[in-house]
Amino acid sequence: QKEVEQNSGPLSVPEGAIASLNCTYSDRGSQSFFWYRQYSGKSPELIMFIYSNGDKEDGRFTAQLNKASQYVSLLIRDSQPSDSATYLCAALYSSASKIIFGSGTRLSIRP
Amino acid sequence: SAVISQKPSRDICQRGTSLTIQCQVDSQVTMMFWYRQQPGQSLTLIATANQGSEATYESGFVIDKFPISRPNLTFSTLTVSNMSPEDSSIYLCTAGGRDYGYTFGSGTRLTVV
């Protein structure tokens, strides 16, 4: 059973701080990993993807991948109230041609 | 990233009828997927839409209920057949690639009455 696990939260972070979101996956065959942000009533929006070990930075966002530990994380620096949303972690299992999503982490940025 | 146009955005349907949802991608993509999202829950994969062959369905989803077409590398449809209130949900398509990520359509909010 291919699984992606996330803490459902809610995770509350003060404005301006770093928000850290974590995700683990069960199948070592997964090759690419994605972070989506979803506002209530909207479809998921892709904010980061990563497929190599290490860090990948894009503006205030940093994705981290550790394949040995089967662990993916997303850091949001200088958190803003507009970052309050549900963050979905997903893994692409190329061998099975499917993308599996975690249950999502609710993030709340408090002013 | 690919841009996906999905329609309809919402519909209210009578039980026993069928609804076809369309997704158009602005570029050729190998992989397209269809998901369902219940309120307050994560995304459940329905099937992978394969170009030129039958879709690959996940456990709990069958072709007779959710027929999928993929006539070319930019277009796919999902039909929800013989609908019941339990089919009320948001249906989403996604497409893209490993090297540039997968983007979602805006979703179809389906209500079956």
Side-chain angles (χ1 to χ4, degrees):
Chain A
Q1 181 75 9
K2 297 173 173 48
E3 293 182 348
V4 176
E5 301 285 344
Q6 293 181 256
N7 188 319
S8 62
L11 175 65
S12 181
V13 173
E15 184 176 356
I18 296 175
S20 178
L21 303 163
N22 304 314
C23 171
T24 59
Y25 59 96
S26 63
D27 192 332
R28 291 188 180 275
S30 54
Q31 298 189 353
S32 299
F33 304 88
F34 310 94
W35 283 100
Y36 292 85
R37 177 176 61 197
Q38 186 173 29
Y39 295 114
S40 180
K42 302 293 186 182
S43 67
E45 173 193 7
L46 178 66
I47 53 174
M48 291 289 289
F49 66 93
I50 187 168
Y51 49 80
S52 298
N53 269 329
D55 295 358
K56 179 181 179 182
E57 186 175 318
D58 184 1
R60 296 187 297 113
F61 300 99
T62 298
Q64 299 175 318
L65 174 60
N66 184 324
K67 290 188 176 181
S69 301
Q70 296 178 239
Y71 179 90
V72 192
S73 65
L74 178 70
L75 301 178
I76 306 175
R77 290 180 298 281
D78 188 24
S79 297
Q80 303 296 311
S82 59
D83 294 327
S84 297
T86 296
Y87 288 79
L88 299 164
C89 173
L92 171 64
Y93 293 92
S94 295
S95 60
S97 296
K98 61 175 69 177
I99 303 175
I100 302 300
F101 282 80
S103 57
T105 298
R106 284 179 53 202
L107 174 65
S108 175
I109 308 299
R110 57 183 190 269
Chain B
S1 301
V3 176
I4 301 175
S5 298
Q6 182 174 346
K7 60 181 180 181
S9 59
R10 60 179 61 229
D11 208 340
I12 300 174
C13 300
Q14 295 292 322
R15 66 177 65 199
T17 63
S18 298
L19 176 71
T20 296
I21 303 167
Q22 299 181 4
C23 273
Q24 178 74 53
V25 190
D26 69 341
S27 58
Q28 293 187 340
V29 292
T30 303
M31 301 176 79
M32 291 185 71
F33 304 93
W34 287 95
Y35 288 85
R36 183 169 71 182
Q37 187 174 34
Q38 305 282 21
Q41 297 188 20
S42 190
L43 284 77
T44 300
L45 180 63
I46 298 172
T48 301
N50 304 308
Q51 196 271 328
S53 64
E54 277 195 2
T56 304
Y57 290 85
E58 294 299 297
S59 176
F61 298 96
V62 295
I63 188 171
D64 290 345
K65 176 67 175 177
F66 298 100
I68 288 172
S69 77
R70 181 88 193 272
N72 55 53
L73 292 175
T74 64
F75 187 78
S76 180
T77 67
L78 168 74
T79 298
V80 186
S81 303
N82 188 25
M83 290 184 285
S84 67
E86 292 70 37
D87 296 319
S88 297
S89 188
I90 298 172
Y91 292 84
L92 295 148
C93 65
T94 184
R98 170 186 182 269
D99 295 333
Y100 52 91
Y102 290 80
T103 51
F104 279 86
S106 55
T108 297
R109 182 180 296 272
L110 171 62
T111 302
V112 183
V113 297

